[in-house]
Amino acid sequence: MESAIRSNVELKATLRAYLELAKLRIVLLLLFTTLTAMVIASGGIPSVAVLLPTLLGGALAAAGSSTINQYLDRDMDAKMARTARRPIPSGRISPLHALAVGVTHLTASVVILAVFVNGLAALLAFAGGVYYVVVYTMLLKRNTSLNIVIGGGAGAIPVLVGWAAVTGGLTLDAWLLFAIVFYWTPPHSWALALLVNADYARAGVPMMPVARGEDATRRQILVYSLLLLVVSLLPVLTKTLGALYLIGAVLLGVGLVWHAVLLLRDSSKAMARRVYKYSTFYLALLFMVMMFDVLL
C-alpha cells in the first residue's frame, strides 16, 4: 500500500513538472488570442470541427516550444533565482527527456493541424516554434538587447494560426492582430525584466535593463505603450471591429500608457510589478472585447 501511494505521489509530481515545462498560463493566453482571431475571421463561433483541432494543435505548439526553450536555457535558468526551480535546472526532469517531449509536442501539433485543419495553419504553427526556439532563444536572447523587440513575433503567430485555420489564408486584418500582440510584448516583458534585472545581469543576458539601463527601459516601455495604443485602433479604421471594441481599446490603451507614465515617475519594483500585471490584464481583456464586439 505504501509503495502504491509513493508511486502515485511520484507520478503526480512528474506530471506537474512536465506541465511546468509547458507554461500553462502562457499557453492559455496564446490559445485565447487564437480563439479570438478565429471568431473575428468567421464572424462568429467557428465550427467545432475546425475549432477543437486548432486549439489542440496550438496548445501543443506552444507547450513544445516552451519546453525546447527551457532545454536550451537550462544553464542560464540555473543561475537565476526566478528560474532555478524550473524542472530541468532543479533536476526533476532530465534535459534529454524534456527535449524529447518538446519535439514530440511540436511535431504532433504540425500533424494535427495539417490533417484536421489545413496546411497553412500547420506551417504557421511550425514557423512559430522555429521563430521562438531558433530566432529568439538561440540567436537573439543572449546576444542583443533587441531580443524582445524582434523575438516578440513568436508570441504573435498564434493569431495568424487561428485566422488561417478559418479562412485558409491571411489578410490585412490578421496582420493587424499580429501587430497588436507584437507591440504589446516589449512593454510587458521589459516590466518583468525590471523586476528581475539582477537575475539577468548575473546570467549575462542583455535584456534592456541590463544593456541600456533601467531609465532607458522605462522610457521604451512608454514609447511602445503609445505605439500599441495607436496600433490597437487600426482594426476600427479597417471596419473589422466596431464601437464596442473602440471604447475598450481606448480605455485599456490609455490605462497602459498611464501606467507607463507612472513608472517613469516611480522607479520602484512595486510599480514595475504593477505595470507587468496590468499589461497581462490588458491583452486578455482587449481580446475579450474583440470577441464581444463580434458576437454581440
Side-chain angles (χ1 to χ4, degrees):
M1 177 65 74
E2 291 182 2
S3 176
I5 293 175
R6 189 181 309 111
S7 297
N8 187 46
V9 171
E10 291 175 352
L11 177 60
K12 288 182 178 179
T14 300
L15 290 175
R16 190 179 302 113
Y18 278 107
L19 289 176
E20 286 180 40
L21 280 176
K23 295 184 179 178
L24 282 185
R25 284 184 293 182
I26 294 177
V27 169
L28 290 175
L29 182 59
L30 294 178
L31 286 183
F32 187 64
T33 64
T34 303
L35 173 61
T36 302
M38 296 180 76
V39 168
I40 296 173
S42 61
I45 303 297
S47 68
V48 174
V50 174
L51 178 63
L52 293 183
T54 301
L55 293 181
L56 176 59
L60 288 171
S65 300
S66 171
T67 301
I68 298 172
N69 167 267
Q70 290 181 65
Y71 166 79
L72 294 171
D73 278 351
R74 63 193 185 278
D75 60 325
M76 180 182 72
D77 286 346
K79 300 175 183 177
M80 299 171 58
R82 183 176 65 92
T83 56
R85 288 300 303 162
R86 282 179 174 174
I88 299 177
S90 67
R92 288 177 288 154
I93 294 179
S94 73
L96 288 181
H97 284 173
L99 178 61
V101 168
V103 171
T104 300
H105 283 165
L106 192 54
T107 302
S109 166
V110 174
V111 172
I112 289 170
L113 291 170
V115 173
F116 296 103
V117 185
N118 59 56
L120 180 57
L123 178 62
L124 287 167
F126 178 72
V130 172
Y131 196 144
Y132 186 58
V133 171
V134 178
V135 176
Y136 173 66
T137 303
M138 298 178 67
L139 299 180
L140 297 175
K141 189 172 183 177
R142 305 185 191 215
N143 297 306
T144 173
S145 61
L146 296 178
N147 47 22
I148 289 298
V149 176
I150 303 172
I157 287 180
V159 299
L160 300 182
V161 174
W163 197 279
V166 171
T167 67
L170 296 175
T171 65
L172 173 62
D173 295 321
W175 289 106
L176 290 180
L177 296 180
F178 176 94
I180 288 172
V181 181
F182 183 87
Y183 279 98
W184 165 83
T185 302
H188 173 74
S189 299
W190 287 334
L192 174 62
L194 287 172
L195 289 172
V196 294
N197 188 20
D199 264 356
Y200 283 126
R202 188 180 307 113
V205 182
M207 287 295 183
M208 183 68 72
V210 176
R212 304 285 181 86
E214 294 191 1
D215 288 341
T217 302
R218 283 186 281 271
R219 289 192 294 271
Q220 287 299 310
I221 288 175
L222 176 58
V223 169
Y224 274 85
S225 296
L226 288 167
L227 290 172
L228 176 58
L229 173 58
V230 174
V231 170
S232 70
L233 301 180
L234 295 180
V236 178
L237 296 180
T238 61
K239 298 184 179 179
T240 306
L241 297 168
L244 178 60
Y245 171 74
L246 175 61
I247 294 170
V250 170
L251 292 177
L252 289 168
V254 169
L256 184 60
V257 170
W258 177 241
H259 276 77
V261 170
L262 292 178
L263 185 61
L264 279 177
R265 298 175 178 177
D266 180 356
S267 60
S268 68
K269 297 290 186 183
M271 182 54 68
R273 185 175 292 106
R274 180 176 168 184
V275 173
Y276 175 72
K277 289 181 177 180
Y278 181 84
S279 65
T280 303
F281 165 82
Y282 166 90
L283 189 69
L285 199 53
L286 184 71
F287 273 74
M288 184 180 297
V289 173
M290 289 183 193
M291 197 178 303
F292 286 158
D293 187 89
V294 172
L295 296 177
L296 296 182

